[in-house]
Amino acid sequence: MSTQGISIGIPAGADRAHGNTDFRRHLRLKRVALAPLAIDATAIVLAVLDVWLVIPDKAPTYSIYLSGLACLALAARRWLPFVVVLGTVPGFLTGWSQLAAMIALGMLATRKQTHWQVWVGAALVWACRFIQWPLSDFATLSWREHVLDAIYGVLVAGMPIAIGLLIGARAQLSQKLGELAASRDREQKLHADAVRAEERARLAREMHDVVSHDITLIAMQAGVLAAGSDSQSAQDTAKVIRQLSTRTLEELRSLVGVLRSGLADDGPQPGLGELDQLVKDCEVPVQLTVDSLPEQLPAKVSAAAYRTVQECLTNVRKHAPGASATVRILGAGDELNIEVCNASPRETVTPLPSGGHGLMGLAERARLLGGSFETSPTPDGGFRVRASYPVGS
């Protein structure tokens, strides 16, 4: 094993950072939920101020009530926009709720765009601005005043519709942009999947044509060595080499099949039940302790524990020849804890090829399963590996 300590796990402040993130997300969602209510309340207040500022001292009582009802009707403009426009018409015609009618018409245009209800509402708002109440006063107006009222009516009815159409067009544009972005993301994902599939196929070919071929030759040569040697020790060693080569070849063929299929490796994998055989075949003096294993152990956790012990014992054999190892596997609550510790090497260490990816792969596996992984040297010159995997649902 390498004597360089690494530690991969959840940072000490991760829980606090996660809590702060959840709190900020809650506040953001709350603000989003309260924004429409604030806008509606502001619209009602502005409509009431518009009525209150222009209402004469001796206004008819019914016109005051109708104007107030028109302002209060704005509370339902998001759900019943056309009905709210109709509800503001009496107050606008006989009273002073012009702003309330414009706000209601603007919401109707935003929701319905060019629907017939929008044009009906526009006609009603225009008529309320053009016609003066009482009708006797309307009949006494000159033609110039009628023309001016008609022009002002077009402005009063046209401006909310223009704003509503603009808002609706912006919403539609945002939706189209979102659809285009989603389509682009799907295309990029498909392209990435195609690239990965091509790379997996290339790796499968290389592993089948090169690695599998070499391992097969190793197994064959080991068989020849076992058959032609008179030494019992040489025969035993050759048999072990042949068994390991055969097992490695089977796992390699399974991996090639996974690469070619493009699927995740969800097939049968060795677990803690095969630890005894692993310890027996590892050619390292091992003291194995297994205690308090949960009754229902997830297959992925069992496979990860097996691979952890396997990699650690392999590293002991490679980097600390002659050293003994201690393996402790303990179930503690909703966690499975693994500790592999070896003493200092008793023989001269011969450097062997090593990419340093074994421990990194174990750390990545632990991270993906929501656990932790750490390594450190021991005071006596050995090495210690600790891993923890969650076993709860």
Side-chain angles (χ1 to χ4, degrees):
M1 285 180 163
S2 170
T3 58
Q4 181 180 3
I6 62 173
S7 178
I8 298 180
I10 300 176
D15 293 338
R16 184 182 305 172
H18 186 267
N20 292 336
T21 301
D22 290 342
F23 180 71
R24 288 194 297 268
R25 185 184 300 111
H26 175 72
L27 289 180
R28 184 166 57 253
L29 293 176
K30 192 172 182 179
R31 286 197 297 267
V32 171
L34 293 178
L37 297 178
I39 295 175
D40 291 343
T42 302
I44 294 175
V45 171
L46 292 177
V48 171
L49 286 176
D50 177 62
V51 173
W52 179 66
L53 292 175
V54 300
I55 190 171
D57 296 334
K58 297 181 179 180
T61 304
Y62 68 88
S63 64
I64 298 176
Y65 285 125
L66 290 177
S67 299
L69 290 175
C71 297
L72 295 178
L74 294 178
R77 66 194 181 97
R78 296 183 182 274
W79 300 277
L80 301 171
F82 184 64
V83 175
V84 171
V85 171
L86 296 179
T88 60
V89 167
F92 188 13
L93 179 62
T94 64
W96 300 269
S97 58
Q98 173 177 307
L99 184 59
M102 294 177 66
I103 294 175
L105 182 59
M107 176 57 70
L108 178 62
T110 302
R111 292 296 178 86
K112 300 292 186 177
Q113 292 293 285
T114 57
H115 194 268
W116 63 267
Q117 293 180 356
V118 176
W119 307 119
V120 171
L124 292 175
V125 172
W126 177 87
C128 291
R129 181 60 183 84
F130 177 71
I131 300 174
Q132 290 192 12
W133 189 267
L135 295 179
S136 57
D137 294 340
F138 176 70
T140 59
L141 296 177
S142 64
W143 69 270
R144 294 179 181 272
E145 292 173 324
H146 284 305
V147 171
L148 289 176
D149 288 338
I151 295 175
Y152 291 147
V154 171
L155 295 177
V156 169
M159 185 172 60
I161 292 179
I163 296 175
L165 292 178
L166 180 61
I167 295 175
R170 182 178 180 274
Q172 292 179 359
L173 179 60
S174 299
Q175 181 181 359
K176 293 296 183 182
L177 291 176
E179 293 175 355
L180 289 175
S183 177
R184 185 181 64 252
D185 292 341
R186 286 193 299 268
E187 291 179 359
Q188 292 178 350
K189 184 178 182 300
L190 291 175
H191 177 69
D193 292 341
V195 172
R196 283 195 297 267
E198 182 179 355
E199 184 65 17
R200 291 165 73 99
R202 187 186 66 81
L203 290 175
R205 289 193 300 268
E206 293 292 332
M207 294 173 67
H208 179 270
D209 296 340
V210 179
V211 184
S212 297
H213 175 71
D214 291 344
I215 295 177
T216 302
L217 291 178
I218 293 174
M220 293 175 60
Q221 294 295 328
V224 173
L225 178 61
S229 178
D230 296 333
S231 172
Q232 184 64 34
S233 176
Q235 290 181 2
D236 293 341
T237 302
K239 288 180 180 180
V240 172
I241 295 175
R242 182 176 176 83
Q243 291 175 358
L244 294 177
S245 300
T246 303
R247 185 187 307 169
T248 303
L249 186 60
E250 291 176 355
E251 293 186 359
L252 185 60
R253 286 173 177 171
S254 175
L255 181 58
V256 168
V258 171
L259 288 174
R260 285 179 172 172
S261 66
L263 301 176
D265 187 7
D266 293 331
Q269 295 187 15
L272 293 181
E274 288 76 20
L275 272 184
D276 291 337
Q277 187 64 34
L278 174 64
V279 170
K280 181 180 178 181
D281 297 338
C282 71
E283 301 181 1
V284 174
V286 178
Q287 180 182 354
L288 176 63
T289 303
V290 180
D291 189 20
S292 302
L293 289 183
E295 296 181 358
Q296 299 293 335
L297 188 63
K300 291 184 178 181
V301 173
S302 180
Y306 178 89
R307 295 302 185 190
T308 300
V309 177
Q310 182 185 45
E311 178 66 23
C312 291
L313 295 181
T314 300
N315 285 344
V316 172
R317 189 169 63 250
K318 290 170 57 177
H319 304 294
S324 61
T326 302
V327 178
R328 297 186 181 91
I329 301 178
L330 175 63
D334 57 352
E335 287 187 347
L336 180 67
N337 298 316
I338 301 171
E339 181 181 86
V340 182
C341 187
N342 68 275
S344 59
R346 298 180 181 179
E347 303 176 8
T348 302
V349 178
T350 302
L352 295 175
S354 177
H357 302 297
L359 296 179
M360 294 176 60
L362 295 179
E364 179 69 14
R365 185 191 292 265
R367 185 185 66 81
L368 292 176
L369 292 176
S372 61
F373 182 86
E374 61 180 13
T375 64
S376 61
T378 59
D380 60 354
F383 201 74
R384 179 184 293 109
V385 173
R386 289 193 179 100
S388 177
Y389 300 100
V391 297
S393 56

